[in-house]
Amino acid sequence: MEQAASPARTVILTVDDDPGVSRAVARDLRRRYGASYRIVRAESGASALDALRELKLRGGPVAVIVADYRMPEMNGIEFLEQALDIYPEARRVLLTAYADTNAAIDAINLVDLDHYLLKPWEPPEEKLYPVLDDLLQAWRATDHRAVAVTKVVGHRWSARSSAVRDFLARNQVPYRWYSSEDPEGRRLLCAAGEEGLRLPLVITPDGASLIEPEDRELATRVGLATTPTTDFYDLVVIGGGPAGLGAAVYGASEGLRTVLVERSATGGQAGQSSRIENYLGFPDGVSGAQLTDRARRQAAKFGAEILTAREVTGLEVNGASRVVRFSDGSAVAAHSVILATGVSYRQLDAPRVTELTGCGVFYGSALTEAAACQGHDVYIVGGANSAGQAAIYLSRSAKSVNLLVRKPSLSTSMSHYLIQQVDESPTISVRTNSVVDAAHGAHQLEQITLRDTVTGDTELVDTQWLFVFIGAAPLTDWLEGTVLRDSRGFILTGPDLTADGRPPAGWELDRPPYHLETNVPGVFVAGDARAESAKRVASAVGEGAMAVMLAHRYLEQS
């Protein structure tokens, strides 16, 4: 018989939309585990997620989650994917029919599924209890003490408060948010002696209080690495998006002393995606945060160093070494460098938009701000995949999502599968030939002016939420004078450098530049920063791996 759990009454949660099946599962669980565990039953994925969030807030442990696969609105895999973010340590079981076995097998990779059970599970003594016994024993064998979290006290309409939350979330740092207007927020401000002063206030797990911390200070105080362990490496990777993470994984796994340098958070723009559905091996999609977390852990497993909140400002050639300079004047050198700097969101050029950024106007922050959008009218500017993914994600909780597209249709810029999902969503409206002419609000966004690009008609609409996804510009200005770029700032490599049949100026090697190599030997490019790149996650990861192969070839010949 199962041994007693902790006095806190550890939870086993079961969710099934069929009331009869739901009661039967709960009955069998209570019969075996009711004396030691609290059995929580839900009849939809949404209500089960609400229960998990409430348990999380109260600090209650959850050992096992049993979910039915076939549920309307949110199937069992989709539910477990979201539950994974709330209780990543809980063991996950999918209850499925024989016809859905393939989906259950796919879920093993998608949501780290621990087991799947075929219905019916009778007799439970043979088909249910042995599985649960093993999972509970495995859960008890791990450490489930409460994770010390960083506390952030701020104001909803504070741009820096929003930036701090986004930084912590994207770097997988557990934190808890308190409004400065709530009793607990005021208590924390008073305890820190900062009541009435600048926000945000960040209280680290060791009790230190930080007022409006910059990213590097924040990174250091919450335990992220910001300083290299040595001054020379085989490979420096600049940028932590899919291309950079791919390069770090393959570089370190090939035995190269590798360090990845990221100015903000690993994942890049892809890391902010609510769901990537066209990445090989994930037929049900994967969130950018999950993909980033797995890639980061994989790179670290092979020994790659990952530095966060370090801005690179220069690249120098010093004989056989390539020197990367940071904004604080320090530097690190390597035999080879991979530039995976990616791109940044283009800024919306309209009155008051800059002033209200972070105070209702956001660039790529849909995941961080989604919870606060519940029941509100949301506007998204953009017609490419990132805008479509944000619209799908926000439509789950927002009252309405209005997609503003400059072009006459979505077909020229958005993937077909996303267009279908947008069309099928009852809460998403697509307004083509529409642009934002101005934003309005003294301290927070209150209204926006929309203009029809065909008729010229304007409309003033009320909203507190404007998300902008209008293309991207390469982050390469710091390479001026060192690495050749095209007229838009994208980095030229390989064949683009030898289009006239001659090597680039200053090239001293007998061979032409490799396919992903710049005009500086030993300096390679991968991902969106490369001229004419595919701008897709899969191609970026592939280029990261290919750049490492070419760097190996360069090192062997040097």
Side-chain angles (χ1 to χ4, degrees):
M1 188 68 179
E2 191 67 22
Q3 298 298 313
S6 66
R9 293 284 286 173
T10 299
V11 167
I12 299 175
L13 182 141
T14 173
V15 53
D16 195 305
D17 67 298
D18 185 321
V21 175
S22 178
R23 286 192 294 269
V25 175
R27 177 201 65 214
D28 287 343
L29 291 177
R30 288 194 182 97
R31 182 186 304 163
R32 173 79 168 185
Y33 307 104
S36 303
Y37 294 86
R38 178 185 171 199
I39 310 302
V40 175
R41 181 170 69 90
E43 294 185 1
S44 72
S47 61
L49 288 174
D50 288 341
L52 289 175
R53 294 187 186 103
E54 184 175 348
L55 287 166
K56 191 72 172 182
L57 286 174
R58 296 179 178 180
V62 175
V64 176
I65 301 173
V66 182
D68 183 57
Y69 173 65
R70 290 196 178 187
M71 294 189 293
E73 298 182 7
M74 182 188 302
N75 67 37
I77 296 175
E78 294 168 339
F79 160 72
L80 288 173
E81 185 178 9
Q82 295 189 51
L84 182 65
D85 294 330
I86 304 172
Y87 276 98
E89 72 280 3
R91 305 295 166 166
R92 291 166 290 279
V93 179
L94 193 68
L95 195 60
T96 181
Y98 181 79
D100 299 321
T101 302
N102 288 337
I105 294 172
D106 291 338
I108 293 173
N109 288 325
L110 181 63
V111 296
D112 292 333
L113 191 69
D114 293 289
H115 204 92
Y116 67 89
L117 290 170
L118 294 178
K119 294 188 289 187
W121 60 91
E122 300 290 342
E125 290 77 11
E126 295 180 11
K127 298 183 178 180
L128 177 64
Y129 298 153
V131 171
L132 269 291
D133 287 347
D134 289 344
L135 293 179
L136 289 169
Q137 182 178 1
W139 183 86
R140 290 197 309 273
T142 57
D143 187 358
H144 301 290
R145 289 174 295 183
V147 177
V149 298
T150 297
K151 299 176 182 178
V152 181
V153 184
H155 192 277
R156 175 181 169 184
W157 304 117
S158 161
R160 186 56 193 158
S161 295
S162 175
V164 165
R165 293 172 64 192
D166 192 52
F167 179 85
L168 294 173
R170 292 183 60 199
N171 279 291
Q172 313 283 323
V173 177
Y175 78 93
R176 183 165 295 175
W177 164 259
Y178 300 91
S179 170
S180 59
E181 300 174 353
D182 293 340
E184 182 63 15
R186 291 196 298 269
R187 187 192 69 78
L188 291 171
L189 287 171
C190 183
E194 303 295 344
E195 194 167 17
L197 297 184
R198 302 185 311 277
L199 295 174
L201 164 69
V202 178
I203 303 172
T204 63
D206 61 5
S209 298
L210 311 176
I211 302 296
E212 289 188 313
E214 294 299 321
D215 285 354
R216 187 176 177 190
E217 178 189 13
L218 183 59
T220 302
R221 299 303 291 268
V222 299
L224 299 175
T226 60
T227 304
T229 59
T230 185
D231 57 3
F232 198 90
Y233 294 84
D234 294 318
L235 174 64
V236 172
V237 180
I238 304 175
L245 287 168
V249 167
Y250 283 95
S253 68
E254 293 293 324
L256 298 178
R257 289 172 299 168
T258 302
V259 61
L260 183 150
V261 182
E262 168 56 47
R263 68 190 183 104
S264 179
T266 50
Q269 289 190 359
Q272 301 179 66
S273 174
S274 59
R275 199 171 190 82
I276 302 169
E277 295 193 69
N278 57 353
Y279 188 65
L280 183 68
F282 293 89
D284 293 305
V286 61
S287 74
Q290 289 175 330
L291 192 62
T292 297
D293 178 58
R294 293 182 181 190
R296 183 180 177 119
R297 287 190 283 113
Q298 195 172 15
K301 181 186 80 170
F302 288 121
E305 291 182 37
I306 298 178
L307 308 183
T308 305
R310 294 305 301 267
E311 183 176 5
V312 176
T313 57
L315 175 64
E316 302 171 6
V317 178
N318 187 3
S321 69
R322 307 292 178 256
V323 180
V324 174
R325 296 219 169 266
F326 299 123
S327 58
D328 63 356
S330 62
V332 66
H335 290 301
S336 59
V337 172
I338 294 177
L339 303 172
T341 52
V343 292
S344 63
Y345 289 109
R346 293 189 186 277
Q347 304 296 294
L348 180 61
D349 185 15
R352 293 291 295 162
V353 167
T354 299
E355 293 84 351
L356 294 173
T357 297
C359 302
V361 178
F362 302 95
Y363 290 87
S365 299
L367 289 176
T368 307
E369 303 295 334
C373 294
Q374 186 168 1
H376 290 247
D377 295 315
V378 173
Y379 286 78
I380 298 175
V381 184
N385 281 6
S386 55
Q389 290 163 351
I392 297 297
Y393 184 75
L394 291 170
S395 68
R396 299 173 184 172
S397 57
K399 177 182 178 182
S400 70
V401 176
N402 301 274
L403 197 57
L404 308 175
V405 184
R406 177 185 290 271
K407 296 180 180 179
S409 75
L410 291 171
S411 59
T412 59
S413 56
M414 188 178 293
S415 295
H416 179 66
Y417 80 91
L418 272 176
I419 294 176
Q420 288 182 310
Q421 292 182 24
V422 167
D423 289 342
E424 292 169 0
S425 174
T427 56
I428 300 178
S429 299
V430 180
R431 301 179 59 151
T432 56
N433 302 315
S434 295
V435 296
V436 174
D437 255 7
H440 309 278
H443 304 291
Q444 65 193 62
L445 182 66
E446 298 174 357
Q447 296 175 312
I448 56 175
T449 298
L450 306 181
R451 176 170 56 86
D452 189 303
T453 59
V454 176
T455 66
D457 295 339
T458 61
E459 179 185 359
L460 187 66
V461 297
D462 296 331
T463 186
Q464 295 179 323
W465 303 99
L466 179 66
F467 296 91
V468 182
F469 302 87
I470 55 172
L475 297 167
T476 59
D477 289 347
W478 59 279
L479 292 166
E480 179 67 32
T482 305
V483 173
L484 295 178
R485 301 174 296 153
D486 66 14
S487 59
R488 297 178 297 162
F490 292 95
I491 300 171
L492 299 171
T493 62
D496 292 331
L497 293 169
T498 57
D500 59 358
R502 295 179 297 177
W507 186 266
E508 298 178 352
L509 302 182
D510 293 336
R511 63 169 177 82
Y514 294 133
H515 184 70
L516 298 179
E517 194 170 21
T518 70
N519 61 296
V520 180
V523 176
F524 303 86
V525 185
D528 290 359
R530 184 178 66 83
E532 306 302 325
S533 61
K535 308 297 187 294
R536 289 291 184 268
V537 174
S539 61
V541 173
E543 287 189 9
M546 183 178 178
V548 169
M549 179 192 72
L550 297 175
H552 250 302
R553 188 180 300 175
Y554 165 79
L555 293 173
E556 290 170 354
Q557 297 176 355
S558 297

